[in-house]
């Protein structure tokens, strides 16, 4: 019962997030259309004339599908020409991501674009750089549209820096990303000099483009960019900056109207948008009479009669406290939705019905408000069901695609920030309870609090159980110096470590299960049990990994989980090391000319992906007096508040600066280095480290 209740909360929170960004999403999609979609470059690298002709033909048919807006056909064609080698990996990912984006398949688009970036980000080839610019621009726009501002900055900032270093800072992609950077920073409350400079640089680039190419297209590109900046400042309540940019928008519209190839309908729509934005800005600055005049001009336009125009008008009326006018504006909502074929999705309930309820309540139209509240309760259940079904289909498709692509690119999608959803869910939940069951608010909140405490208690118990499954006592035997440390990022996690000492044989293992939380911890428990059972049978590391893979993969693994795993077997008298790596981070081994370095290993797939794999083992003649550090990516991928990673080089530098005394001292030195680097940032992944020295 409580699980269903939390699910509804998360869906309602999505409603609020999506409703808030709806108008911004439309503007950003318009901005995205300004990007040049002529084929990014031809993917042929062979000299054969016939092959080049086939590449050009592949470009043509995909571009025709783009012009026809046949996004499903783009997917089919791109997949086909990619398999034939007619498209490079980066270009294929660009088009696949674009098609999924237009089909509103956010997760699939994000997956392909991140894969495409990985394929070309280190190349200086002209084609690859242009592909890189196109993909990073689109991915930044996608993340910004869905309010994932930190993730958008993480893509856009290094992308603009790289493009600038390569002399590609005059492209439309570069200019678009500057605007995204400025808007994302301001949304995160970072309205500083860097934010100002980013937006000003983008504006100057648009003016320079207009100077060199004075036509309607260059003006429209600039107008779309400035519209997004204006909307961004209005949404965060910075009305002074909004007015400054609105004046620039007006100048661009006037310039557009003077172009021979201008479209009157576009000019009229943007003039109307300017009027309603200006009304909102003036109202926010307390200039009510001027705001009312701007609104009057807006009401005389055809744009006012559209669904988008109605929403923009209601934003001004609510800000101005003109509740009667706002209520009248929402009066024709049902007819408008019927005319546009719009259904009561979660987004439209938040964007329209909740606002309609608010304005009627404040206008004193209590009967109408009561009718709207009843409509909300009637429509919400079906909207949640439809949203859940669509999300489930999307999740299933992405999961399947991730499995197919893991062997090629080893890039995994990050989970959404649960904390942000929980906070937003609590806010929207309060409003929902107030409308529907006002007299039971206190009782409901008390029940929710009790359930939350119960779940936290159960999670604490689960954490204790999980921690009891990994050893906290290590061999006290001459010649063995060993210590390990594990800290989950959440209440429970998916990391594991263990050892088995049998006569003169010492097995050591470290693993990292995909995902986090309770599902990962359950999978971790299975992997730990299998390792311990097979190690006690004196199997070699490669055989253990093979058998673990057979046990954890296949039809029983319905959730498609997997574990990266490093397993070693040390012959204590000789120091001989047998080991097998299953997709895990390379351990660091001490000694040699460089004091310490990463252990070179053959690639093996993570355990649990595909049944029937035969894992390959490796060996080192002697590791005596050569400390071995085995760890999970929670160490080298630890992030500071600026989203920079601890990194492999900093890991090696820390170890080289640490004079080995014992395993505990090495682990403690690394813990301190990581905490200092994080500088207060919350851990983004489980952290496990094991240090072993045989003498």
């Amino acid at each position: 019962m409580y699980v269903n209740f939390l699910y509804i909360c998360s869906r309602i929170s999505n409603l609020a997030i999506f409703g808030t960004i709806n108008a911004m999403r439309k503007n950003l999609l318009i901005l995205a259309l300004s990007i040049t979609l002529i084929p990014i470059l031809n993917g042929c690298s062979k000299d054969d004339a016939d092959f080049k002709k086939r590449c050009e033909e592949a470009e043509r048919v995909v571009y025709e599908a783009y012009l026809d807006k046949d996004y499903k056909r783009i997917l089919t064609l791109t997949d086909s020409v990619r398999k034939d080698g007619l498209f490079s990996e980066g270009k294929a990912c660009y088009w696949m991501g674009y098609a999924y984006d237009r089909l509103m398949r956010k997760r699939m688009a994000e997956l392909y674009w991140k894969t495409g970036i990985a394929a070309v980000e280190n190349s200086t080839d002209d084609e690859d750089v242009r592909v890189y610019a196109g993909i990073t621009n689109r991915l930044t726009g996608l993340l910004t549209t869905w309010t994932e501002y930190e993730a958008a900055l993480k893509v856009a900032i290094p992308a603009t820096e790289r493009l600038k270093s390569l002399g590609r800072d005059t492209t439309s992609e570069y200019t678009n990303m500057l605007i995204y950077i400025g808007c994302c920073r301001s949304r995160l409350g970072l309205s500083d000099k860097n934010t100002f400079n980013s937006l000003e640089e983008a504006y100057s680039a648009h003016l320079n483009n207009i100077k060199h190419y004075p036509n309607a297209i260059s003006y429209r590109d600039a107008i779309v960019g400035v519209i997004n900046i204006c909307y961004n400042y209005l949404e965060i309540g910075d009305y002074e900056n909004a007015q400054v940019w609105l004046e620039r928008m007006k100048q661009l519209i006037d310039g557009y109207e003077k172009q021979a190839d201008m479209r009157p309908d576009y000019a009229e729509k943007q003039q109307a948008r300017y009027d309603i934005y200006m009304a909102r800005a003036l109202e926010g600055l307390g200039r009510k009479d001027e705001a009312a005049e701007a609104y009057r001009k807006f009401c005389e336009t055809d744009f006012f009669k559209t669904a988008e125009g109605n929403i923009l008008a209601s934003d001004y009326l609510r800000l101005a406290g003109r509740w009667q006018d706002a209520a009248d504006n929402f009066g024709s909502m049902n007819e408008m939705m019927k005319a546009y074929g719009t259904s009561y999705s979660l987004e439209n309930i938040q964007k329209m019905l909740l606002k309609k309820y608010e304005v009627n309540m404040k206008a004193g139209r209590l009967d109408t408000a009561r009718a709207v509240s009843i409509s909300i309760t009637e429509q919400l259940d079906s909207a949640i069901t439809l949203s859940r079904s669509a999300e489930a289909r999307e999740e299933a498709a992405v999961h399947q695609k991730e499995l197919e692509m893991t062997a090629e690119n080893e890039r995994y999608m990050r989970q959404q920030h649960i904390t942000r959803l929980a906070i937003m869910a609590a806010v929207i939940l309060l409003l929902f309870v107030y409308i529907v069951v006002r007299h039971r608010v206190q009782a409901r909140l008390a029940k929710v609090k009790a359930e939350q405490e119960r779940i936290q208690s159960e999670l604490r118990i689960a954490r204790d159980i999980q921690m009891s499954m990994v050893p906290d006592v290590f061999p006290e035997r001459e010649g063995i110096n060993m210590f390990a440390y594990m800290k989950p990022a959440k209440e429970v996690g998916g990391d594991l470590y263990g050892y088995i000492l049998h006569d003169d044989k010492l097995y050591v293992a470290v693993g990292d299960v995909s995902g986090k939380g309770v599902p990962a911890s359950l999978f971790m428990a299975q992997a730990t049990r299998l390792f311990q059972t097979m190690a006690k049978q004196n199997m070699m590391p490669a055989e253990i990994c093979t058998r673990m893979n057979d046990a954890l993969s296949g039809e029983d693994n319905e959730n498609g989980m997997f574990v990266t795993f490093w397993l070693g077997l040390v012959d204590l008298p000789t120091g001989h090391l047998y080991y097998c790596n299953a997709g895990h981070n390379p351990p660091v081994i001490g000694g040699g000319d460089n004091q310490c370095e990463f252990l070179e290993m053959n690639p093996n797939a993570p355990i649990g992906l595909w049944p029937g794999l035969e894992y390959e083992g490796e060996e080192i003649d002697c590791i005596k007096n050569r400390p071995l550090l085995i760890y999970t990516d929670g160490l080298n991928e630890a992030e500071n508040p600026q989203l920079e990673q601890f990194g492999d080089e900093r890991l090696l530098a820390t170890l080289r600066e640490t004079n080995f005394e014992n395993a505990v001292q090495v682990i403690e030195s690394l813990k301190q280095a990581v905490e200092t680097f994080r500088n207060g940032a919350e851990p983004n992944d489980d952290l496990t480290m094991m240090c072993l020295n045989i003498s």
Side-chain angles (χ1 to χ4, degrees):
M1 181 70 173
Y2 188 70
V3 172
N4 292 333
F5 181 66
L6 285 181
Y7 184 83
I8 292 173
C9 291
S10 68
R11 297 279 63 77
I12 296 175
S13 71
N14 281 336
L15 175 152
I17 295 171
F18 296 160
T20 302
I21 66 167
N22 182 64
M24 183 178 182
R25 178 190 306 168
K26 292 180 179 177
N27 289 335
L28 290 173
L29 290 176
I30 294 172
L31 175 62
L33 285 177
S34 69
I35 299 171
T36 304
L37 281 174
I38 297 175
I40 296 177
L41 275 176
N42 115 28
C44 309
S45 58
K46 299 182 180 180
D47 295 329
D48 181 69
D50 181 64
F51 185 79
K52 288 184 177 180
K53 185 176 181 180
R54 291 174 60 204
C55 288
E56 293 171 357
E57 178 65 15
E59 295 276 5
R60 186 186 64 79
V61 295
V62 172
Y63 187 64
E64 286 180 353
Y66 154 72
L67 294 176
D68 294 337
K69 299 182 179 181
D70 191 342
Y71 307 120
K72 293 184 177 179
R73 187 162 175 257
I74 290 177
L75 292 175
T76 302
L77 289 172
T78 302
D79 185 59
S80 175
V81 299
R82 177 188 186 183
K83 292 177 179 178
D84 292 339
L86 303 178
F87 270 13
S88 66
E89 179 73 9
K91 183 185 296 185
C93 287
Y94 171 87
W95 281 112
M96 296 290 278
Y98 170 77
Y100 277 119
D101 182 33
R102 306 309 296 166
L103 291 169
M104 302 303 290
R105 301 280 295 279
K106 169 188 176 291
R107 295 283 302 280
M108 291 294 286
E110 185 177 5
L111 174 65
Y112 272 106
W113 282 336
K114 286 186 175 180
T115 303
I117 291 174
V120 299
E121 62 183 344
N122 295 320
S123 174
T124 56
D125 178 76
D126 187 63
E127 173 186 349
D128 288 341
V129 172
R130 292 175 65 180
V131 170
Y132 174 80
I135 293 179
T136 52
N137 174 57
R138 286 201 168 275
L139 180 56
T140 301
L142 177 71
L143 295 171
T144 304
T145 299
W146 291 87
T147 72
E148 297 180 20
Y149 304 124
E150 292 182 358
L153 289 174
K154 197 170 183 180
V155 174
I157 291 176
T160 52
E161 291 175 351
R162 180 166 185 255
L163 291 176
K164 192 168 186 176
S165 69
L166 295 173
R168 301 300 182 90
D169 53 348
T170 59
T171 64
S172 61
E173 292 89 350
Y174 177 84
T175 305
N176 291 339
M177 282 192 282
L178 288 178
I179 294 176
Y180 289 136
I181 289 171
C183 291
C184 288
R185 288 180 61 84
S186 62
R187 287 301 180 115
L188 293 171
L190 303 174
S191 298
D192 53 13
K193 184 177 180 180
N194 290 333
T195 302
F196 174 83
N197 290 342
S198 178
L199 297 178
E200 287 295 326
E201 184 181 349
Y203 181 62
S204 296
H206 277 306
L207 294 183
N208 189 57
N209 189 46
I210 289 173
K211 180 180 178 180
H212 288 86
Y213 308 100
N215 54 46
I217 294 177
S218 59
Y219 271 99
R220 286 185 64 172
D221 288 346
I223 290 171
V224 170
V226 173
I227 282 174
N228 282 279
I229 298 172
C230 294
Y231 179 82
N232 181 71
Y233 277 124
L234 289 172
E235 284 296 292
I236 65 175
D238 188 345
Y239 301 114
E240 291 185 2
N241 271 318
Q243 186 182 20
V244 171
W245 284 95
L246 281 167
E247 294 300 336
R248 293 177 172 181
M249 176 181 171
K250 176 62 175 173
Q251 294 171 8
L252 291 171
I253 294 173
D254 292 342
Y256 174 80
E257 291 177 334
K258 296 176 183 177
Q259 304 307 307
D261 54 344
M262 62 86 74
R263 285 174 40 198
D265 58 331
Y266 182 81
E268 292 171 3
K269 179 177 180 179
Q270 302 316 322
Q271 179 62 49
R273 189 188 303 277
Y274 162 80
D275 289 333
I276 192 59
Y277 280 3
M278 183 59 77
R280 192 171 166 188
L282 292 170
E283 184 66 33
L285 292 171
R287 297 159 61 179
K288 293 184 174 294
D289 292 341
E290 296 173 77
E293 176 61 19
Y295 177 68
R296 184 192 63 77
K297 292 180 181 179
F298 173 71
C299 292
E300 295 175 353
T301 66
D302 291 336
F303 185 52
F304 169 69
K305 302 173 185 178
T306 66
E308 185 180 357
N310 268 257
I311 296 300
L312 294 179
S314 67
D315 289 338
Y316 159 72
L317 293 172
R318 291 167 65 238
L319 180 64
R322 294 171 58 173
W323 305 113
Q324 296 293 341
D325 292 339
D328 291 340
N329 190 40
F330 277 99
S332 58
M333 187 186 71
N334 290 337
E335 291 77 7
M336 179 186 68
M337 293 185 67
K338 183 177 180 182
Y340 282 89
T342 305
S343 62
Y344 280 108
S345 63
L346 288 175
E347 180 180 341
N348 286 328
I349 291 173
Q350 194 276 340
K351 183 179 67 176
M352 296 183 178
L353 281 181
L354 290 180
K355 289 183 178 180
K356 184 175 181 179
Y357 172 82
E358 177 195 21
V359 299
N360 278 282
M361 282 290 292
K362 293 186 176 181
R365 303 180 184 182
L366 301 183
D367 289 342
T368 302
R370 180 176 180 276
V372 174
S373 68
I374 294 173
S375 180
I376 291 174
T377 60
E378 292 174 345
Q379 301 293 341
L380 187 59
D381 183 65
S382 61
I384 290 174
T385 300
L386 289 174
S387 177
R388 181 185 300 177
S389 175
E391 184 170 284
R393 290 194 299 271
E394 178 75 356
E395 288 292 334
V398 171
H399 182 67
Q400 179 62 31
K401 186 56 64 178
E402 284 177 332
L403 292 179
E404 295 172 358
M405 299 174 67
T406 297
E408 300 177 15
N409 52 45
E410 295 184 0
R411 295 180 63 87
Y412 311 106
M413 298 189 66
R414 296 179 179 273
Q415 295 182 345
Q416 296 181 345
H417 297 290
I418 297 176
T419 302
R420 183 190 302 170
L421 292 178
I423 294 174
M424 188 62 71
V427 174
I428 302 305
L429 176 61
L430 289 175
L431 177 60
F432 176 77
V433 173
Y434 178 82
I435 296 171
V436 182
V437 285
R438 179 179 180 181
H439 64 287
R440 300 178 59 189
V441 167
Q442 294 301 325
R444 180 66 61 87
L445 291 177
K447 181 179 179 181
V448 170
K449 182 178 180 180
E451 290 291 339
Q452 289 176 335
E453 291 176 351
R454 180 182 65 80
I455 288 179
Q456 290 299 323
S457 176
E458 292 177 354
L459 286 174
R460 284 193 294 269
I461 295 172
R463 180 190 177 94
D464 292 341
I465 294 173
Q466 181 185 19
M467 296 305 293
S468 70
M469 296 179 66
V470 296
D472 56 1
V473 177
F474 301 95
E476 296 183 359
R477 173 171 168 172
E478 184 177 356
I480 301 178
N481 193 322
M482 178 181 179
F483 186 72
Y485 166 82
M486 184 173 78
K487 184 177 182 181
K490 298 182 179 180
E491 287 83 354
V492 290
D495 279 5
L496 63 99
Y497 73 83
Y499 75 87
I500 295 292
L501 178 60
H502 186 258
D503 295 331
D504 288 332
K505 306 293 184 182
L506 175 64
Y507 289 87
V508 292
V510 172
D512 185 356
V513 176
S514 60
K516 303 180 184 69
V518 174
S521 70
L522 295 176
F523 201 79
M524 165 266 193
Q526 295 183 65
T528 301
R529 175 182 57 81
L530 289 169
F531 156 67
Q532 292 175 344
T533 300
M534 296 177 187
K536 291 176 181 178
Q537 299 176 32
N538 294 321
M539 296 181 184
M540 295 298 288
E543 183 180 1
I544 292 177
C545 289
T546 299
R547 295 199 179 191
M548 287 178 64
N549 182 67
D550 290 338
L552 294 175
S553 60
E555 296 180 357
D556 292 338
N557 188 358
E558 296 180 355
N559 295 322
M561 302 191 73
F562 57 88
V563 57
T564 66
F565 200 67
W566 192 94
L567 172 60
L569 167 60
V570 184
D571 183 81
L572 296 177
T574 65
H576 196 97
L577 172 66
Y578 302 90
Y579 64 92
C580 180
N581 177 58
H584 198 71
N585 298 76
V588 179
I589 188 166
D593 295 338
N594 298 321
Q595 295 181 305
C596 64
E597 57 191 2
F598 290 111
L599 192 63
E600 294 185 2
M601 300 181 297
N602 293 329
N604 282 305
I607 292 173
L609 287 177
W610 302 284
L613 295 180
E614 289 290 335
Y615 284 77
E616 296 182 6
E618 300 174 76
E619 56 187 284
I620 297 177
D621 289 339
C622 181
I623 64 168
K624 283 192 174 184
N625 299 313
R626 300 184 69 188
L628 184 68
L629 175 72
I630 316 164
Y631 58 94
T632 62
D633 56 14
L635 174 59
N636 60 321
E637 294 182 5
E639 294 180 347
N640 63 14
Q642 289 74 44
L643 303 181
E644 299 170 336
Q645 292 190 346
F646 190 74
D648 293 341
E649 293 303 321
R650 189 176 279 106
L651 170 59
L652 290 177
T654 302
L655 290 173
R656 288 167 181 166
E657 294 170 1
T658 302
N659 294 323
F660 183 87
E661 297 177 7
N662 54 59
V664 175
Q665 169 246 353
V666 172
I667 297 297
E668 290 299 324
S669 295
L670 285 172
K671 283 170 56 181
Q672 182 61 44
V674 170
E675 288 301 320
T676 302
F677 175 77
R678 281 200 185 111
N679 193 24
E682 289 295 323
N684 58 312
D685 201 353
D686 304 332
L687 171 61
T688 299
M689 298 180 286
M690 174 185 286
C691 184
L692 171 67
N693 189 41
I694 304 299
S695 60

